[in-house]
Every structure is written in C-alpha cells, then in structure tokens.
Amino acid sequence: MASTDHQALQQNMSLPGDGLDAARMPGHWLLARLGKRVLRPGGVELTRWMLDALGVDPEDRVVELAAGLGSTARLALARRPVAYTAVDRDAAAVATLSTLAAPGPTKVRAVRSDAEDTRLPDGGATVVFGEAMLTMQPDPAKRRVVREARRLLDDSTGRYAIHEMCLLPDGLDPALAELITTDLQDAIHVGARPLTPSDWSELLATEGFTVTAQKTAPMALLEPRRLIDDEGLIPALRIAGRALRDPAALRRVLHMRRVFRRHSAHLGAISLLAVPTPTPTQA
C-alpha cells in the first residue's frame, strides 16, 4: 500500500481517489483519507530496517519507486543523500512530493512516471527502493518493475530493497494461498498478489539481483499497537475518530482488519536487500 502524509491532508491537497466513495475506493486511498501516513505492511519499523540495510549515506543517489506522498521520503532525506528522486504515476502524489525539502544539500526532485518505465538514465542511481507496490502488481508487471530497478542501478555500488506483503511459510499450500489472495483483493479492492519469501527472492534473482539480507514482520497494519507506533497516539485517535464518523469508511476498515486477522498466521510483511549480480565479464 502506498503512503500518504498528514500535511497533505491538512493543506487540502488533492489525494488519489477523488470522486470515489468509501465503499469503492482502494483500501490504501481510503486509509489515506482518514489520515493514515504509514501504509507499509511492516510499519515504520521495517521501513527503518530497510533504510539501515541499504546504508543510505551522503554519497548516494537515491530513487524511490511509487513514492506516494512522502512518508518514507522524509526518512530517506534525513540521511542526506547527494540526490533523491521520487517516482510516482499519480499527479496528486507528484505534486506533494515536489514540495519536499531536504535538511541538507540533497538535490530533490519528483517525476511523474511509471515504475516499470521511469525514463531515468541507465546506472544513474546507487540506491533504488520501493514499498508496498510490487504486491499490487500481476507477476509480469512485478518483473518489469524489478528489471527497471536493475537498469537504474550503478553496477559497482548499487543496492536495491523492497518492502512488501508476503505469504508464510515457504511451501504454503497453493489452495490456501489462493484463498488468502482472493480475500485480500475483496477487502482492499486492489489486485494484491503477495509471494512467499522464497518466491520474492527468486523474483529478484531472475531479474539480475543477489539477495543479501531479509527480514519479516507481522502484517499488523490496522492493529491498535501498530497504529500508535506508526502514527503516534494523537494522530491514531484522530484516524479512529474520522472512521467512527463515516459509517461506510468504518465498515471498510473493519472488513480489512478482519481479513488481516483471519489470515495472520500466513500473511506477513517482508523486506529484502539485494545487489546486482555480477555478469560473467564482471566476475
């Protein structure tokens, strides 16, 4: 799920899903409109682990794919990379991302483009990451996005990371996996297709990466403790208050939480760090 930011809501900026009612819009847009900033399956804790594993520093040129409205961007910018580029295909997201300010001399820009074809230069980045977006793609599109990340990365110092939903454990019965996927799609109104940890690793390997680190976390996006940890106590209470005042939104939120709880034993979050696999001529 994509992220949003409370400042965008406070400034009445356009958000994805304008014109759709709560019963029809994708789940991440609904939660954004209720004021939720962190819409990552493993929460801000797993996002921070991902950025630590990437080792973003002042020498890095960072590209974030499907950057949303800037929740993770701010964490990345706090590490003062030399350059940060946010890519998103949604005009409202790009408008908000364009207002980001870095605490140091980082060159910041936002481009409206698809993660499968960013039109950014070959090898221009040392770090590429994306969160909660591959899960929402069918398998061919997943591969195109990972292939694009590989194209963007510098061969010698490049690092790539993802933060997605996952099915647990490896070897999960296919019928159960399909049931979980169907329930997810019905709840969030997006064609979510999470993979097992080994399948995520295989996807990256097939498209030219070697996985060097991996961490999983519970899928507790709508649990009270995670909500407070991710948003803070007062913002969490405001989100709950908005939901209580909107019966249609409340029904959707409770439905999503029931699905997450029903499949909690087999539905989690995962982050993987990978580096470009050397070609035979580089080895």
Side-chain angles (χ1 to χ4, degrees), residues 220-232 236:
L221 183 71
L222 296 178
E223 295 302 319
R225 182 181 296 276
R226 172 74 65 78
L227 190 65
I228 293 169
D229 287 346
D230 285 349
E231 312 293 337

Side-chain angles (χ1 to χ4, degrees), residues 109-130:
R109 65 171 175 156
V111 297
R112 188 180 181 188
S113 191
D114 197 288
E116 298 179 19
D117 181 17
T118 63
R119 300 190 295 277
L120 297 175
D122 291 2
T126 57
V127 169
V128 175
F129 66 86

Side-chain angles (χ1 to χ4, degrees), residues 12-283:
N12 295 317
M13 299 182 72
S14 177
L15 287 171
D18 278 339
L20 294 179
D21 62 36
R24 296 175 54 199
M25 70 173 62
H28 55 288
W29 294 354
L30 174 67
L31 293 174
R33 290 179 177 280
L34 293 174
K36 194 158 185 358
R37 295 182 302 115
V38 179
L39 289 163
R40 309 312 196 191
V44 71
E45 182 179 354
L46 194 56
T47 291
R48 292 184 186 279
W49 179 90
M50 179 189 75
L51 293 174
D52 287 342
L54 283 166
V56 177
D57 66 29
E59 301 298 318
D60 281 314
R61 303 180 303 277
V62 178
V63 173
E64 181 178 0
L65 302 177
L69 298 184
S71 179
T72 302
R74 289 172 173 80
L75 297 177
L77 288 172
R79 296 164 185 257
R80 300 173 181 261
V82 67
Y84 167 86
T85 300
V87 176
D88 205 284
R89 64 185 179 186
D90 183 82
V94 172
T96 299
L97 291 162
S98 297
T99 69
L100 289 172
T106 305
K107 180 181 178 181
V108 181
R109 65 171 175 156
V111 297
R112 188 180 181 188
S113 191
D114 197 288
E116 298 179 19
D117 181 17
T118 63
R119 300 190 295 277
L120 297 175
D122 291 2
T126 57
V127 169
V128 175
F129 66 86
E131 297 181 282
M133 47 90 69
L134 290 175
T135 298
M136 306 306 172
Q137 310 297 323
D139 287 346
K142 284 180 171 69
R143 296 189 180 280
R144 289 193 294 269
V145 172
V146 176
R147 197 173 304 146
E148 177 70 354
R150 178 65 185 86
R151 183 188 69 80
L152 294 174
L153 280 171
D154 175 272
D155 285 335
S156 59
T157 62
R159 293 97 74 200
Y160 178 46
I162 64 173
H163 175 180
E164 301 289 342
M165 279 194 276
C166 70
L167 296 173
L168 299 166
D170 286 330
L172 182 67
D173 178 74
L176 179 54
E178 189 60 32
L179 173 63
I180 295 170
T181 297
T182 299
D183 283 354
L184 274 176
Q185 293 174 355
D186 177 64
I188 66 178
H189 295 187
V190 177
R193 300 203 70 86
L195 304 177
T196 64
S198 62
D199 286 340
W200 280 120
S201 293
E202 182 182 357
L203 170 65
L204 298 187
T206 300
E207 299 303 333
F209 287 100
T210 299
V211 174
T212 59
Q214 170 184 308
K215 184 176 178 64
T216 58
M219 174 55 185
L221 183 71
L222 296 178
E223 295 302 319
R225 182 181 296 276
R226 172 74 65 78
L227 190 65
I228 293 169
D229 287 346
D230 285 349
E231 312 293 337
L233 177 59
I234 300 304
L237 291 173
R238 288 174 180 154
I239 292 167
R242 293 187 188 104
L244 289 170
R245 291 191 296 271
D246 185 336
L250 181 60
R251 284 193 294 272
R252 286 287 313 282
V253 171
L254 293 177
H255 182 199
M256 286 188 281
R257 191 174 71 173
R258 281 195 298 271
V259 169
F260 296 158
R261 286 182 170 181
R262 183 184 308 147
H263 299 298
S264 61
H266 300 293
L267 186 62
I270 189 169
S271 181
L272 296 99
L273 174 69
V275 297
T277 302
T279 62
T281 57
Q282 294 173 319

